[in-house]
Amino acid sequence: MIKAITGTKDILPPEIPKWKLLESIVNNVFKNFNYKEIRTPIFEETSLFARGIGEETDIVGKEMYTFLDRSQTSVTLKPEMTASVVRAFNEHSLGKLQSLNKFFYISPMFRQERPQAGRQRQFHQFGSEAIGGSSPLLDAELIIIAYNILKLLGLKDLTVKINSLGVPQSREKYKNLLREFLSGSKNYLSEDSRKRFDQNILRIFDSKVESDQEILKNAPLMIDYIDEESKNDFEVVKNLLAESKVPFEIDPKLVRGLDYYTKTTFEIVSGKVGSQSALCGGGRYDLLVEQLGGAPTPGVGFAAGMERILLACENENSLNIPKEEIDLYIIKIDKDLSSKVFELSLNFRNDNLVVEFDYLDRSVKAQMREANKLNAKFVLFLGGDEYKSGKLNLKNMSTGEQQLVDVNNYHQLSEFIKK
Ligand code: HAM
């Protein structure tokens, strides 16, 4: 038997209602904040992500699904949306039509990571990119959007972490300071951190190795070295969050795993999903649009892992999904009424009722069992003596009440069932 590829998961029908609920909350919240949906292709030219996310990052270095297509072009299944959205923004000159573009998306993403709870190789993100504004109002707005969505899902064990990475000039100065601080203890760092020391020194802060964290304990913190403008913007973000009653922590070690960030970064973590605790992450990327060939344009965004969020909801038992039900089950008493049941169900379905009947010529008892299993609100019995006189027996499944109804007057019946 052929099975699904490691790290991918089927979302089977019983799980769909919670996905729909999450998607409807996402759609609603973004609508209220006037963000417009954008959809980009599943795959892009590899160079887009290499340039956008950064050659030295884990995503580009180790995790991308990259292959040569039949015309020998290197393509990559998208590991994230920001680079794709910026590519579309540049390609269609969207900045010329509108000075600020606020986008949102829901899409599958692909990263070849080691699968574990909350980490898959095909996963889904919702997220947003606000391109064209440098105001920290946007940074705060996006954090609030992400937080609101998680709260609307009933999640409680949440921590909002924020930091500022400053502009590249101040960051370079800081990196030199950090290099100096760590140079004496480089040999005591883990192998991964030694590599990061040479390639991407800020990511050392992401190390989970205890001895690395011990060495980093007294390291200088970037937040103390950022430029004035970043510092002021960060103050504005903090004040707006406080005024909006979004609890947050400043995490000076929050460096994020993608290279495009400038100024504000943030993550919202859950205490209920184990080691893969980041439900969402994002930040400002004021240089990316230009780096990908567009006019200098600031941007800010975030993305959230939907599997991880649903796992948190499950672990907090926070979702109240109503049980699925149907409006009507038509039971066929006489076997030769197949075409009549087909016609009748079509009429009701066209009247916008959720209707089911038996396609398998099962016994009346088995049909009744099926109607119960499907939580039918009403059952209509087709056949028998009543039918011969133009009437059908309709049973209300919650009260047990039965009544004879006119078989030809199905619009009236539809209205009755809808009530
Ligand atoms: P990211 O931190 O790489 O950022 O991913 C965002 C979220 O996607 C994570 O917090 C996590 O919930 C989820 N996620 C990432 N990898 C996996 C995985 N393998 N399995 C399940 N969930 C995963 C970005 O992707 C940036 N594009 C965010 C952004 C938008 N920054 C600015 N704009």
Side-chain angles (χ1 to χ4, degrees):
M1 195 197 301
I2 298 174
K3 297 209 168 139
I5 289 182
T6 307
T8 69
K9 270 198 183 147
D10 300 307
I11 302 172
L12 298 174
E15 293 169 81
I16 294 293
K18 62 184 183 193
W19 281 87
K20 292 261 187 200
L21 176 66
L22 172 54
E23 286 160 12
S24 75
I25 291 175
V26 168
N27 277 298
N28 271 338
V29 172
F30 279 117
K31 191 172 168 207
N32 291 343
F33 284 82
N34 197 30
Y35 282 67
K36 303 291 179 203
E37 186 174 354
I38 185 165
R39 301 183 189 193
T40 64
I42 285 291
F43 58 112
E44 300 267 5
E45 264 186 43
T46 301
S47 57
L48 172 69
F49 300 115
R51 273 167 59 190
I53 302 170
E55 300 274 5
E56 310 292 351
T57 59
D58 283 354
I59 296 180
V60 174
K62 305 195 250 191
E63 296 168 1
M64 293 205 304
Y65 279 97
T66 297
F67 56 95
L68 289 179
D69 71 5
R70 286 172 198 274
S71 55
Q72 303 303 303
T73 306
S74 178
V75 298
T76 294
L77 303 183
K78 62 184 169 193
E80 61 113 45
M81 267 298 266
T82 313
S84 295
V85 173
V86 169
R87 195 254 323 124
F89 173 87
N90 285 341
E91 187 171 337
H92 304 286
S93 306
L94 298 179
K96 286 193 184 139
L97 302 174
Q98 213 170 305
S99 36
L100 173 62
N101 281 268
K102 302 202 291 183
F103 304 107
F104 82 96
Y105 47 81
I106 299 178
S107 176
M109 304 290 158
F110 306 85
R111 296 184 193 177
Q112 192 160 7
E113 295 188 79
R114 195 170 47 78
Q116 61 183 90
R119 191 160 74 189
Q120 292 176 200
R121 292 181 171 175
Q122 176 174 343
F123 59 101
H124 298 79
Q125 285 185 342
F126 70 80
S128 73
E129 313 296 342
I131 305 179
S134 57
S135 164
L137 294 181
L138 287 166
D139 308 22
E141 174 168 299
L142 286 166
I143 297 171
I144 290 167
I145 288 176
Y147 186 72
N148 280 359
I149 291 173
L150 299 176
K151 288 308 264 186
L152 284 169
L153 288 161
L155 292 174
K156 294 201 171 75
D157 193 345
L158 299 172
T159 309
V160 179
K161 297 180 173 183
I162 61 171
N163 189 24
S164 177
L165 301 182
V167 297
Q169 296 85 329
S170 63
R171 201 177 323 158
E172 278 317 306
K173 273 192 220 149
Y174 168 74
K175 280 189 193 168
N176 288 335
L177 264 175
L178 185 62
R179 209 166 278 128
E180 228 168 82
F181 171 83
L182 289 173
S183 55
S185 33
K186 185 181 172 189
N187 292 337
Y188 302 101
L189 288 169
S190 64
E191 196 188 327
D192 255 1
S193 290
R194 280 205 301 277
K195 254 190 230 152
R196 285 173 171 172
F197 182 95
D198 295 322
Q199 293 171 350
N200 200 349
I201 192 161
L202 293 183
R203 292 297 310 285
I204 283 188
F205 285 112
D206 282 346
S207 169
K208 299 255 179 335
V209 180
E210 220 168 278
S211 52
D212 286 352
Q213 286 304 333
E214 191 57 33
I215 293 170
L216 287 167
K217 228 180 192 171
N218 298 317
L221 294 173
M222 185 152 39
I223 197 85
D224 298 327
Y225 295 90
I226 59 174
D227 52 287
E228 273 311 301
E229 190 181 89
S230 299
K231 213 179 269 175
N232 292 337
D233 285 358
F234 196 52
E235 281 307 309
V236 175
V237 173
K238 286 194 290 186
N239 289 334
L240 291 170
L241 292 181
E243 279 164 23
S244 313
K245 309 249 175 324
V246 174
F248 62 89
E249 277 175 13
I250 296 165
D251 179 356
K253 293 179 178 166
L254 181 68
V255 291
R256 307 271 304 129
L258 304 93
D259 279 355
Y260 46 63
Y261 290 113
T262 52
K263 295 186 171 175
T264 312
T265 55
F266 73 96
E267 277 184 6
I268 303 181
V269 300
S270 162
K272 291 283 190 294
V273 289
S275 65
Q276 299 306 306
S277 62
L279 299 187
C280 76
R284 191 158 266 294
Y285 46 87
D286 286 346
L287 305 170
L288 183 61
V289 177
E290 191 179 2
Q291 231 168 304
L292 292 176
T297 313
V300 56
F302 79 89
M306 297 171 80
E307 281 81 0
R308 243 175 243 190
I309 289 174
L310 291 176
L311 186 63
C313 291
E314 204 175 300
N315 293 346
E316 288 203 35
N317 202 7
S318 72
L319 293 185
N320 192 2
I321 305 274
K323 69 174 185 204
E324 283 202 280
E325 50 186 20
I326 65 168
D327 293 314
L328 179 66
Y329 192 94
I330 306 178
I331 288 187
K332 195 174 52 176
I333 299 176
D334 300 331
K335 287 219 162 44
D336 55 355
L337 287 175
S338 286
S339 56
K340 186 67 197 169
V341 87
F342 188 83
E343 180 198 324
L344 207 53
S345 64
L346 197 59
N347 290 342
F348 287 123
R349 285 166 172 168
N350 287 341
D351 270 355
N352 208 18
L353 290 184
V354 184
V355 181
E356 192 53 291
F357 65 88
D358 172 48
Y359 300 79
L360 308 176
D361 274 341
R362 284 177 288 193
S363 68
V364 171
K365 206 167 152 197
Q367 292 180 63
M368 201 59 203
R369 224 179 291 130
E370 183 75 4
N372 275 317
K373 201 165 137 193
L374 294 173
N375 294 316
K377 287 190 247 172
F378 286 88
V379 166
L380 190 63
F381 296 90
L382 184 63
D385 292 341
E386 298 91 348
Y387 180 61
K388 286 182 199 128
S389 56
K391 299 279 184 197
L392 294 181
N393 203 346
L394 179 74
K395 181 173 181 185
N396 181 326
M397 295 295 276
S398 56
T399 63
E401 253 172 79
Q402 298 202 23
Q403 66 186 100
L404 283 180
V405 294
D406 186 350
V407 65
N408 297 312
N409 210 346
Y410 64 85
H411 282 314
Q412 208 180 348
L413 200 51
S414 300
E415 289 313 309
F416 175 77
I417 290 172
K418 273 182 205 163
K419 276 190 227 145

